[in-house]
Amino acid sequence: MSDAEEAPRESTGKNGETEIEEEEEPNLNYKEVENPQEEVKDDTLAWRESQEEEKKKGEEEEEEGEEEGEEDKEIVMEETEEKAGDAQEEEASGIQKETAVEPQEMKRSMTSLETRITDSQSATSGIFPTTQRGSESKPSLRSEDSEADELEFLDLDQISPEEQQMSSPDRQPSGELEENTDQRPQDELGRERRDLEPEKREEGQERSASSIQSIAGISRESLVSTTTEDILFQKDKNAPVYPLTLTWSFGWNSSLPVYYIREEKQRVLLYVCAHTAIIYNVFRNHQYHLQGHANIISCICISEDRRWIATADKGPDCLVIIWDSFTGIPVHTIFDSCPEGNGIRAMAMAHDAKYLATISDAKVQKVCIWKWTLAAETPACTLELPKEYGLQNYLTFNPTNNKELVSNSKTQAIYYAWYEERDTLAHSAPLLTEKTFNKLVGKFSQSIFHLNLTQMLSATMEGKLVVWNIHRPPSSASTFLGFPYIKPCKLVHLQKESITVLTTIDSYIVTGDIKGNIKFYDHTLTIVNWYSHLQPSAVRTLSFSKTPATPPTEKSNYPPDCTLKGDPFVVRNFIIGTSDATVYHLTTDGTKLEKLFVEPKDAICAISCHPYQPLIAIGSICGMIKVWNYEKKRYLFSRVFEKGLGVQSLTYNPEGTLLGAGFTEGTVCILDTMSLENESPEPFRYSRTSVTHISFSHDSQYMATADISFTVAVYMMVVRNGRRVWEYLARLRSHRKSIRSLQFGVYLDSNEPRLLSLGTDRLLIEYDLLRSYKDHLEVLDIHRTDQGCYPTCMVWYPPLTRELFLLICNSGYKVKLFNATTKMCRKTLMGPAYGSPIEQAQVLPVRSMAELPKRYLVFINRDKVGLQILPVDGNPHKTTAIVCHPNGVAGMALSYDGLYAFTAGGHDRSVVQWKINLSVLEAAVSLGGEDLTPFYGLLSGGREGKFYRELEDYFYYSQLRSQGIDTMETRKVSEHICLSELPFVMRAIGFYPSEEKIDDIFNEIRFGEYVDTGKLIDKINLPDFLRVYLNHRPPFGNTLSGIHKSFEVLGYTNSKGEKAIRREDFLRLLVTKGEHMTEEEMLDCFASLFGLNPEGWKSEPAASSVKGSEICLEEELPDEITAEIFATEILGLTISEDSGQDGKGARCHSRTRSAQHTPQTRFCPRETSISETTFRIHLKWLSLKAHSAAEKQNDNHVVTHTRRPLHYVGSSWKSGTVSLWNAPEHVTELSTPTQAVSL
């Protein structure tokens, strides 16, 4: 018996540890699991022998088949020679005849082939076919370059049963897999395949399938089963198929482990960057990206032979994907792995790679074991863990028994035993307190199985090891003697430092601690050797090479161990990952420590590209600035600032000689580009809050910054004592909400710089730099850009027209073009709608003058990066986007030549480089159609649908209406309508623009050709009207939540806990605030709503208000108005969970709610006789929530308020139907420039 087994009998250890005395129970069934590898070897030998026999047999059959084929060919050739004289024609016709010998057989085989390819859409089915009966596997995601290998990959199922060795119960799924791996999934795979596959197939079908494969050029063997380790980095890059292609990832997620994949010929690592797993070849400096997750990867693990990689994410629709590390192909995808939770928190793969275990990330965690080699869509067994166990965050299998696992949280360690035949996952989780050993135990970090297989070890943050005894009941074939369990038997105080990593390798138990020490112990927990002089930071992960250490020789330089003999300490090379995002490689022979890469350990928010060199500067909140050559993928130099200086913003000046840096605590530094040393003697410290924006003027004479306290500061270059130095000029708190953009421009007539800022307070402010002086920043102009939505970013529009524009994006998914001089809104266009509005945008640089006529816009929103072809016209096919950082994008930069885009992921600590392929996007646009074809697709039913037909009716009815309904004169039919009729047609088809928006529409149409022709337009045709309507209408439908938000701002909480507005306040707001109504308008609207007026308040020529003055609102309106009363009783709307498109009325039904899933409640109209103008009453008052919100905020600004009405859709003169659109947000503006507060 080993020392470790004798230890539990003692009462006091060597170091004074408290122990528990207990009798050691004999482990009668231990021998059954003691040497499972021997059984595997025996099965493997038998399988290989049977494979060789089958292979020989198959070769003989193939030779016979070939001989028969040659005979048939000769016969066909002879017959052809008799009919024709030309030898070449005879041979060609013979070949044609050969392929048509058995058409029925060929047809059956082709059908069988197509069926199998369809059934093998799950990525694993290319290796291990789906085995669950009656279940269909969802299509698996593919990694980059896997499209080229799709046919080869899916072709494994085309191999005959004899070749796959599936007809024998003792045979494995693939001989190639056995040759390339030490252990491979065996028993269950064979059993399931025998259940699914028929024992024999017709010989003719096999021959036909082979001929089809040879004709199509399809390999008879799967790429996964035949590949070698080197193929991953030998793949030829195909032509780009996506407009944006990931080419490199800077940074890595230091919270997850780094794995040492292989070392024989090349040093290859595996790590995670955001939602991508990266296989990195250190010697070649090459990355291969495993792309398939839409959420941040939360777990990663790898098989013992380094062949299979499993990744899992955390978020909605989470995935678990298993990859082949040799080819980068996803072999299996588990969908809905945690439908009730938020993703996967811990994951482990059995050492023989047969099983995958996961623990969900939910309040009630669930442990699942998956037979992934069988392409199972449901777990083989599950176990829900009580909340008292805490959040389990570490999981591992027993290296010698794949039916045993251990996991731990900070307070609880759990042992699992899986009884497959009983479909049971038993567990044991004894509570461990300070009273257990009468000593402080500490919080658990990791747990493993002891080398002696009868114990478990749990490391703590107090530098201690908890030793658990595993009590397994004796095996019995007839009776069940209970489940195994664990008991704590010893607390060993190994060291003073907290243990962060606990693992085993060969015959050693290895620990890593918070001070960077790595220690090796034998099975008795006696220290053998340690590495303490390396001095890295806290160890997060240790990964040892798959290649065993070279035996010591005379030339070896292994360090001596701690024994009296001082024998060489021989151990494999290993990788060290630390908490400061540094990765080291330790060569044990000679103790050579290499630093592979150092990445930022905190959020990355600042990136900037050099204006004419392939350099990118990356700034992190940890205070590090790194500069890379992004073409050669080479790190150049860096600087780490003192503690407390986190880099928030970076910008190169136009000459590329300076780098402006803004920090989280308000400091601004101007650095030299190549040395990163300060250009000015002292940094500028005029701000007290984080500097979010830095911008240089075109001549580098000015630099402007903006911070989160809504302040703009300006610095300028001056000459002092013959030297050019930077000095502070002035700063101004010009906005009342966050500043979204800060841009320098150029006055075209004088070439002087101009400065503009844009904030979420909807103000576009231009500053007068020439008239500004020390401590005084002059404001030149203030313009409000939006009425309801808030702007998100601003960029100078490229000179594609004779008119100079500012392009401003807003939160309503709109792109607006403002005249750069007059600030008039010249166009409003539908922008990209990919889940969230555009947050940043930049015009793609051009490489030559020939590219100037064709320009592109690169943008980011919350989690995506995309491309937009300019000019913007609302065509949805002109845009594309891809998920770049699921947890949010913090910044964007473009290379000087326009070939690459870079995105910073913020808290995921990564920067992603994207190659831009414009030809792919142009091809997609051409496929979308020309002229109005893409716009018809945005309408319900398209051009032939009901909505477009009604639009035509309204368009031509407006011509009749403008000429007079009752006139007897000859009608003048035209293709145009006058602009005065446009608002009425808009409202008729369900879009209710505010008065300000109507003015913007009129200006857009009137001045559309003014720059080119000098003429104003006063009419519009139907195609142009359709474009205007689609670009100006709100992009999405509305929910009841919009009304509730308005009442939360305008109302008070009544006795029932609901937000309500008193009747007097309701009426007062309608006539005094926002785009207010007159009393006459208000009374007429209420008269129509209550059925007292004929339909058509003043919008119809024949309509007149006769009872508006007679209505008594005190009798018609309740004393207290809530959101539901306003929507249903006053406006006459019913609430529906469905909404029609383009404003058309949906089916009316009552409002329903579900505790599990509450859909967004939408409005559905009820059929009433209501004219479109009657809705002005709530078009007006709902916009007034902004006024109340502004009054509740304490601000130093003197403000005036302008409001917009709520937009509706669905009101029709024919159907009288209505549904609701976006509620507005408050708008404020500076009444005069002089009322801004100067600091």
Side-chain angles (χ1 to χ4, degrees):
M1 183 177 294
S2 66
D3 296 338
E5 295 175 70
E6 293 175 355
R9 298 180 180 273
E10 300 174 0
S11 59
T12 306
K14 291 182 180 181
N15 299 326
E17 297 88 349
T18 304
E19 304 173 3
I20 296 178
E21 296 183 2
E22 60 179 3
E23 292 295 329
E24 185 71 25
E25 298 182 6
N27 185 11
L28 300 181
N29 64 339
Y30 172 68
K31 292 183 179 180
E32 297 181 3
V33 298
E34 187 173 6
N35 294 319
Q37 295 184 0
E38 294 182 3
E39 298 179 5
V40 173
K41 291 179 179 178
D42 295 339
D43 293 342
T44 302
L45 292 175
W47 174 78
R48 286 181 174 173
E49 292 175 358
S50 61
Q51 186 193 29
E52 292 176 359
E53 295 177 1
E54 293 291 341
K55 188 175 181 180
K56 293 179 180 179
K57 183 178 179 181
E59 290 177 354
E60 294 176 358
E61 293 178 355
E62 288 180 0
E63 292 177 358
E64 294 177 0
E66 290 176 359
E67 293 177 359
E68 293 176 1
E70 289 294 332
E71 293 177 0
D72 294 341
K73 184 176 179 180
E74 291 176 1
I75 294 173
V76 174
M77 292 289 292
E78 291 176 0
E79 294 176 355
T80 309
E81 288 174 356
E82 293 177 358
K83 297 179 181 180
D86 192 348
Q88 294 180 353
E89 293 181 0
E90 291 168 359
E91 183 178 0
S93 61
I95 295 174
Q96 293 175 0
K97 206 161 189 175
E98 176 194 1
T99 60
V101 172
E102 296 177 354
Q104 295 297 328
E105 184 179 357
M106 181 71 74
K107 184 176 181 181
R108 290 195 304 269
S109 301
M110 181 65 75
T111 304
S112 175
L113 177 62
E114 293 175 353
T115 303
R116 289 175 196 159
I117 291 179
T118 303
D119 293 339
S120 62
Q121 287 299 312
S122 174
T124 309
S125 61
I127 307 173
F128 309 114
T130 305
T131 57
Q132 278 194 321
R133 299 170 187 171
S135 65
E136 295 182 358
S137 178
K138 297 183 180 180
S140 175
L141 303 172
R142 297 189 182 94
S143 67
E144 62 179 33
D145 298 334
S146 64
E147 291 84 355
D149 307 320
E150 180 181 3
L151 291 177
E152 297 182 15
F153 171 58
L154 296 177
D155 186 57
L156 183 62
D157 280 352
Q158 312 310 317
I159 304 174
S160 63
E162 291 78 14
E163 290 170 332
Q164 290 182 342
Q165 301 297 321
M166 285 300 170
S167 59
S168 175
D170 298 330
R171 291 168 186 166
Q172 300 297 313
S174 172
E176 293 295 332
L177 287 177
E178 182 62 31
E179 293 174 7
N180 289 328
T181 56
D182 297 333
Q183 296 177 350
R184 202 56 79 234
Q186 301 172 8
D187 301 333
E188 284 78 0
L189 180 61
R191 288 197 297 269
E192 297 289 349
R193 285 300 293 262
R194 289 195 300 274
D195 292 340
L196 289 180
E197 297 286 346
E199 293 184 359
K200 295 182 180 180
R201 297 179 183 174
E202 296 181 4
E203 186 175 351
Q205 290 182 346
E206 293 177 4
R207 215 178 272 143
S208 300
S210 301
S211 62
I212 293 172
Q213 291 172 351
S214 61
I215 293 172
I218 303 176
S219 173
R220 290 179 60 84
E221 293 183 332
S222 168
L223 179 63
V224 175
S225 64
T226 60
T227 186
T228 63
E229 296 184 5
D230 297 329
I231 193 173
L232 187 67
F233 299 103
Q234 294 175 355
K235 287 187 175 183
D236 295 330
K237 290 294 182 179
N238 300 323
V241 294
Y242 303 109
L244 291 165
T245 304
L246 192 156
T247 60
W248 195 264
S249 292
F250 303 90
W252 70 289
N253 187 350
S254 57
S255 302
L256 297 179
V258 177
Y259 288 106
Y260 204 163
I261 295 186
R262 41 191 176 267
E263 186 189 19
E264 294 86 351
K265 299 179 182 179
Q266 50 193 354
R267 187 178 298 166
V268 181
L269 310 181
L270 170 69
Y271 58 92
V272 170
C273 182
H275 63 307
T276 305
I278 298 174
I279 300 177
Y280 176 53
N281 190 315
V282 178
F283 295 152
R284 296 186 182 182
N285 193 31
H286 183 80
Q287 290 183 353
Y288 191 90
H289 305 99
L290 305 180
Q291 297 178 264
H293 290 277
N295 305 307
I296 292 292
I297 294 178
S298 58
C299 302
I300 186 170
C301 63
I302 194 168
S303 61
E304 183 68 15
D305 59 9
R306 306 298 198 269
R307 177 68 189 268
W308 311 108
I309 300 168
T311 57
D313 60 52
K314 184 185 297 185
D317 300 323
C318 60
L319 300 176
V320 177
I321 306 178
I322 295 90
W323 314 80
D324 175 22
S325 68
F326 291 178
T327 62
I329 294 175
V331 296
H332 184 52
T333 302
I334 300 175
F335 298 89
D336 301 324
S337 57
C338 185
E340 299 177 358
N342 192 36
I344 304 300
R345 190 176 185 88
M347 182 170 60
M349 185 176 289
H351 280 233
D352 60 0
K354 290 174 63 175
Y355 308 118
L356 183 72
T358 61
I359 299 181
S360 62
D361 185 24
K363 293 182 179 179
V364 178
Q365 289 185 296
K366 183 180 292 185
V367 182
C368 300
I369 297 180
W370 307 81
K371 296 181 180 180
W372 70 270
T373 59
L374 307 181
E377 294 294 332
T378 57
C381 66
T382 60
L383 172 67
E384 287 191 358
L385 301 178
K387 294 182 180 179
E388 304 82 60
Y389 290 172
L391 290 176
Q392 302 290 308
N393 50 31
Y394 185 79
L395 178 67
T396 187
F397 275 90
N398 187 336
T400 59
N401 185 355
N402 56 19
K403 302 300 174 65
E404 291 184 337
L405 303 92
V406 61
S407 71
N408 68 260
S409 63
K410 293 182 178 180
T411 59
Q412 192 90 40
I414 306 177
Y415 163 80
Y416 306 88
W418 179 28
Y419 290 84
E420 185 177 3
E421 64 281 357
R422 297 176 179 271
D423 195 20
T424 301
L425 183 62
H427 75 285
S428 174
L431 182 63
L432 196 63
T433 64
E434 295 182 7
K435 296 182 180 180
T436 307
F437 299 107
N438 292 324
K439 285 190 176 181
L440 178 64
V441 177
K443 296 182 178 180
F444 293 127
S445 57
Q446 294 183 0
S447 300
I448 61 171
F449 286 91
H450 195 286
L451 297 172
N452 61 21
L453 307 178
T454 62
Q455 292 177 323
M456 283 174 21
L457 303 174
S458 295
T460 73
M461 300 305 289
E462 295 295 325
K464 301 175 183 178
L465 277 184
V466 179
V467 183
W468 311 80
N469 277 346
I470 304 175
H471 298 272
R472 300 181 178 91
S475 60
S476 175
S478 58
T479 59
F480 178 67
L481 302 179
F483 296 111
Y485 62 94
I486 59 173
K487 290 183 64 175
C489 69
K490 181 184 289 188
L491 181 66
V492 182
H493 198 160
L494 284 184
Q495 58 188 55
K496 296 180 180 180
E497 297 81 12
S498 300
I499 300 175
T500 55
V501 176
L502 179 64
T503 185
T504 60
I505 185 65
D506 298 331
S507 60
Y508 301 112
I509 298 171
V510 190
T511 64
D513 58 43
I514 59 172
K515 290 191 176 181
N517 301 317
I518 301 169
K519 301 180 180 180
F520 295 79
Y521 302 85
D522 62 10
H523 67 284
T524 63
L525 298 182
T526 302
I527 192 165
V528 179
N529 194 21
W530 70 90
Y531 296 95
S532 59
H533 61 284
L534 307 177
Q535 295 183 346
S537 59
V539 179
R540 282 281 180 87
T541 178
L542 293 173
S543 181
F544 290 84
S545 171
K546 184 181 69 172
T547 306
T550 306
T553 61
E554 296 180 356
K555 297 181 180 181
S556 300
N557 189 21
Y558 288 104
D561 60 19
C562 299
T563 62
L564 294 177
K565 295 181 180 180
D567 296 331
F569 177 69
V570 181
V571 72
R572 310 180 189 206
N573 299 335
F574 57 94
I575 294 291
I576 308 169
T578 64
S579 59
D580 61 356
T582 305
V583 176
Y584 300 89
H585 178 268
L586 182 65
T587 304
T588 55
D589 188 358
T591 316
K592 301 175 184 177
L593 185 68
E594 303 173 59
K595 186 182 291 185
L596 300 184
F597 49 83
V598 182
E599 300 295 347
K601 61 181 179 180
D602 286 329
I604 299 176
C605 299
I607 55 174
S608 181
C609 287
H610 197 277
Y612 56 85
Q613 291 184 6
L615 305 179
I616 180 171
I618 300 173
S620 171
I621 300 298
C622 67
M624 175 188 291
I625 296 179
K626 293 187 67 175
V627 179
W628 289 75
N629 184 315
Y630 55 77
E631 286 185 351
K632 298 181 179 179
K633 312 299 187 295
R634 183 179 300 169
Y635 158 71
L636 299 179
F637 46 87
S638 63
R639 177 181 175 181
V640 179
F641 293 84
E642 56 266 26
K643 188 176 182 180
L645 291 179
V647 183
Q648 183 69 41
S649 54
L650 288 174
T651 301
Y652 282 99
N653 72 330
E655 285 79 16
T657 58
L658 301 175
L659 179 64
F663 295 86
T664 53
E665 42 76 62
T667 300
V668 176
C669 292
I670 301 176
L671 310 175
D672 179 76
T673 300
M674 304 311 296
S675 65
L676 297 183
E677 297 296 330
N678 289 3
E679 279 287 308
S680 55
E682 292 292 332
F684 300 107
R685 293 186 173 90
Y686 291 92
S687 177
R688 304 181 186 90
T689 55
S690 180
V691 179
T692 57
H693 296 79
I694 294 182
S695 181
F696 286 92
S697 62
H698 71 288
D699 55 3
S700 296
Q701 295 299 309
Y702 291 93
M703 181 184 73
T705 65
D707 57 33
I708 61 175
S709 61
F710 328 134
T711 302
V712 174
V714 178
Y715 306 83
M716 65 181 301
M717 181 177 287
V718 296
V719 178
R720 301 293 185 192
N721 300 325
R723 294 186 55 191
R724 302 177 67 185
V725 296
W726 286 90
E727 287 187 355
Y728 163 77
L729 178 63
R731 60 195 303 259
L732 177 69
R733 189 175 186 266
S734 51
H735 293 269
R736 60 178 304 274
K737 284 190 174 182
S738 61
I739 298 174
R740 301 305 298 258
S741 290
L742 186 67
Q743 294 279 349
F744 274 98
V746 181
Y747 288 110
L748 298 181
D749 54 349
S750 63
N751 203 36
E752 291 292 331
R754 57 189 298 195
L755 177 63
L756 300 96
S757 65
L758 181 70
T760 53
D761 54 4
R762 304 171 179 84
L763 297 182
L764 174 63
I765 301 178
E766 184 171 0
Y767 306 88
D768 192 338
L769 297 177
L770 296 179
R771 297 174 58 188
S772 300
Y773 50 88
K774 186 69 173 181
D775 296 329
H776 178 80
L777 183 59
E778 186 74 18
V779 174
L780 179 64
D781 177 60
I782 297 178
H783 183 80
R784 182 164 56 84
T785 61
D786 288 276
Q787 193 176 24
C789 303
Y790 60 87
T792 57
C793 65
M794 169 180 62
V795 66
W796 290 101
Y797 198 70
L800 299 177
T801 63
R802 296 174 59 184
E803 192 173 358
L804 183 61
F805 292 119
L806 269 172
L807 184 148
I808 296 178
C809 304
N810 66 20
S811 59
Y813 298 87
K814 301 297 183 183
V815 175
K816 290 189 172 185
L817 298 182
F818 289 84
N819 183 283
T821 303
T822 64
K823 309 297 191 309
M824 176 190 291
C825 180
R826 291 284 288 103
K827 281 190 177 181
T828 300
L829 303 158
M830 186 65 195
Y834 293 102
S836 59
I838 294 177
E839 295 187 356
Q840 291 184 35
Q842 294 184 30
V843 177
L844 193 66
V846 295
R847 287 167 288 180
S848 64
M849 297 295 293
E851 298 178 356
L852 286 176
K854 193 70 174 178
R855 304 302 296 272
Y856 302 85
L857 189 75
V858 184
F859 64 87
I860 58 173
N861 61 6
R862 190 190 67 84
D863 59 349
K864 300 176 183 69
V865 59
L867 285 172
Q868 165 80 58
I869 298 178
L870 298 179
V872 183
D873 59 3
N875 184 350
H877 300 291
K878 283 189 173 183
T879 66
T880 183
I882 186 173
V883 175
C884 56
H885 301 279
N887 283 7
V889 190
M892 177 184 68
L894 301 178
S895 64
Y896 71 96
D897 54 6
L899 293 179
Y900 299 102
F902 300 85
T903 56
H907 291 287
D908 67 15
R909 293 163 283 182
S910 68
V911 173
V912 179
Q913 179 179 350
W914 303 89
K915 184 174 178 58
I916 299 175
N917 308 305
L918 299 176
S919 59
V920 178
L921 181 58
E922 293 288 354
V925 174
S926 62
L927 294 175
E930 298 178 353
D931 198 27
L932 286 177
T933 302
F935 296 92
Y936 291 136
L938 299 176
L939 299 175
S940 175
R943 186 173 183 178
E944 305 300 326
K946 181 180 178 182
F947 178 80
Y948 184 76
R949 293 177 182 176
E950 288 190 358
L951 172 60
E952 288 181 323
D953 292 342
Y954 296 148
F955 188 84
Y956 292 111
Y957 170 71
S958 67
Q959 296 185 18
L960 302 178
R961 181 181 176 279
S962 61
Q963 297 175 25
I965 299 297
D966 299 329
T967 181
M968 298 299 293
E969 298 179 1
T970 304
R971 299 285 182 180
K972 297 179 180 180
V973 180
S974 172
E975 295 180 355
H976 298 78
I977 61 172
C978 59
L979 291 186
S980 60
E981 291 295 315
L982 186 143
F984 300 112
V985 181
M986 289 279 191
R987 292 163 184 159
I989 59 177
F991 170 41
Y992 285 83
S994 65
E995 294 173 11
E996 181 176 308
K997 187 175 287 293
I998 291 174
D999 291 339
D1000 289 342
I1001 295 175
F1002 284 169
N1003 291 333
E1004 178 178 330
I1005 299 172
R1006 284 196 185 104
F1007 295 96
E1009 300 177 1
Y1010 184 79
V1011 175
D1012 298 326
T1013 64
K1015 297 180 180 179
L1016 298 177
I1017 300 175
D1018 58 357
K1019 58 184 179 180
I1020 187 173
N1021 57 21
L1022 182 58
D1024 291 338
F1025 175 86
L1026 179 62
R1027 286 192 179 95
V1028 171
Y1029 163 70
L1030 291 175
N1031 281 313
H1032 281 266
R1033 69 173 183 175
F1036 307 111
N1038 254 341
T1039 65
L1040 184 62
S1041 60
I1043 293 290
H1044 281 292
K1045 289 179 181 178
S1046 300
F1047 273 81
E1048 288 175 2
V1049 175
L1050 294 170
Y1052 67 95
T1053 304
N1054 60 14
S1055 58
K1056 299 180 181 179
E1058 300 175 337
K1059 289 292 183 179
I1061 300 178
R1062 295 182 182 88
R1063 180 180 56 214
E1064 294 78 11
D1065 297 334
F1066 175 78
L1067 298 175
R1068 177 176 54 82
L1069 291 172
L1070 286 174
V1071 297
T1072 59
K1073 302 298 180 181
E1075 290 185 353
H1076 54 81
M1077 309 171 69
T1078 65
E1079 289 191 9
E1080 179 186 3
E1081 291 173 343
M1082 182 184 68
L1083 293 173
D1084 285 333
C1085 286
F1086 276 115
S1088 297
L1089 284 171
F1090 298 141
L1092 303 177
N1093 255 358
E1095 182 181 0
W1097 172 85
K1098 290 188 178 179
S1099 61
E1100 298 286 356
S1104 61
S1105 176
V1106 295
K1107 297 185 179 180
S1109 58
E1110 302 174 5
I1111 187 172
C1112 182
L1113 297 180
E1114 288 75 9
E1115 297 178 0
E1116 300 292 342
L1117 296 176
D1119 295 335
E1120 202 174 66
I1121 301 172
T1122 63
E1124 286 75 11
I1125 292 176
F1126 175 73
T1128 58
E1129 297 183 12
I1130 296 179
L1131 302 182
L1133 304 174
T1134 56
I1135 299 172
S1136 171
E1137 294 177 3
D1138 303 321
S1139 178
Q1141 296 180 359
D1142 298 300
K1144 307 309 291 183
R1147 182 174 60 88
C1148 301
H1149 55 79
S1150 62
R1151 175 182 171 188
T1152 60
R1153 295 277 183 178
S1154 171
Q1156 299 295 330
H1157 175 66
T1158 305
Q1160 290 187 331
T1161 305
R1162 300 181 181 274
F1163 290 108
C1164 182
R1166 67 185 181 188
E1167 297 295 335
T1168 56
S1169 176
I1170 302 175
S1171 170
E1172 50 92 11
T1173 51
T1174 61
F1175 293 102
R1176 291 190 61 189
I1177 190 167
H1178 54 286
L1179 290 175
K1180 300 296 183 183
W1181 82 269
L1182 275 179
S1183 64
L1184 303 176
K1185 72 168 186 177
H1187 174 74
S1188 178
E1191 290 180 345
K1192 292 180 181 179
Q1193 298 181 2
N1194 295 324
D1195 198 279
N1196 294 327
H1197 289 281
V1198 179
V1199 297
T1200 59
H1201 304 278
T1202 57
R1203 302 294 173 260
R1204 61 172 284 191
L1206 185 68
H1207 286 177
Y1208 291 83
V1209 70
S1211 177
S1212 167
W1213 289 339
K1214 289 187 175 181
S1215 61
T1217 58
V1218 130
S1219 60
L1220 195 58
W1221 283 75
N1222 288 337
E1225 298 182 3
H1226 66 279
V1227 179
T1228 61
E1229 66 176 353
L1230 292 172
S1231 57
T1232 62
T1234 58
Q1235 291 170 340
V1237 180
S1238 178
L1239 302 180

